[in-house]
Amino acid sequence: MARNFHETYSRPSVKPPAERATGLWFALVAVVIAAWWRHAPVVPWVALGAAFALAAVALLAPGALRHPNLIWFRFGLLLHRVVNAVVMFAIFAFVFVPAGLLMRACRNPLGSRRAGPGSSYWIDRKAGAQGPTSMTHQF
């Protein structure tokens, strides 16, 4: 693609997080699950055991978490593609469509000065007004 645009239309390369960070986050989530289900007979012990195991692997051998980290990262990218589309559709459907319908229901959308067909939105400059003379000093 030509380089004369300031927009980039290529996708940026997103890198997965470090394996150690992912393992520690999963351990933290397991601790939160253990605290949340603390009154259950088995769940807290299993969650705390998983938290301990994940923290130990993350700190001692983070390379062992490479494949789970990539799987989790790709799952996050998939969620991003799905949720982003759903959220953007919801914003369009619940914000822009009702606003457009409301503007059509009102005969004068956005307070335009349009007189009728063939007229313009252009506002004429007053006869004696001194306006900008060049694009360098516009205001």
Side-chain angles (χ1 to χ4, degrees), residues 70-116:
L70 289 176
I71 291 170
W72 185 252
F73 176 69
R74 291 196 178 138
F75 178 67
L77 290 177
L78 175 70
L79 278 179
H80 164 70
R81 290 181 65 95
V82 172
V83 172
N84 188 23
V86 170
V87 167
M88 293 306 286
F89 173 76
I91 289 173
F92 179 78
F94 295 118
V95 175
F96 290 107
V97 170
L101 292 175
L102 184 66
M103 286 173 51
R104 282 186 179 238
C106 299
R107 300 272 183 219
N108 194 7
L110 300 178
S112 68
R113 297 185 192 189
R114 196 165 181 178

Side-chain angles (χ1 to χ4, degrees), residues 1-71:
M1 178 144 280
R3 293 211 174 256
N4 58 353
F5 298 111
H6 86 239
E7 294 94 357
T8 57
Y9 296 108
S10 63
R11 289 186 172 191
S13 62
V14 182
K15 297 177 184 173
E19 286 81 13
R20 179 170 289 154
T22 302
L24 292 176
W25 272 108
F26 279 148
L28 180 67
V29 168
V31 168
V32 169
I33 289 172
W36 187 269
W37 290 72
R38 65 184 172 270
H39 299 297
V42 178
V43 175
W45 297 109
V46 172
L48 286 175
F52 179 75
L54 282 168
V57 170
L59 293 174
L60 300 175
L65 295 174
R66 178 166 164 62
H67 293 294
N69 186 24
L70 289 176
I71 291 170

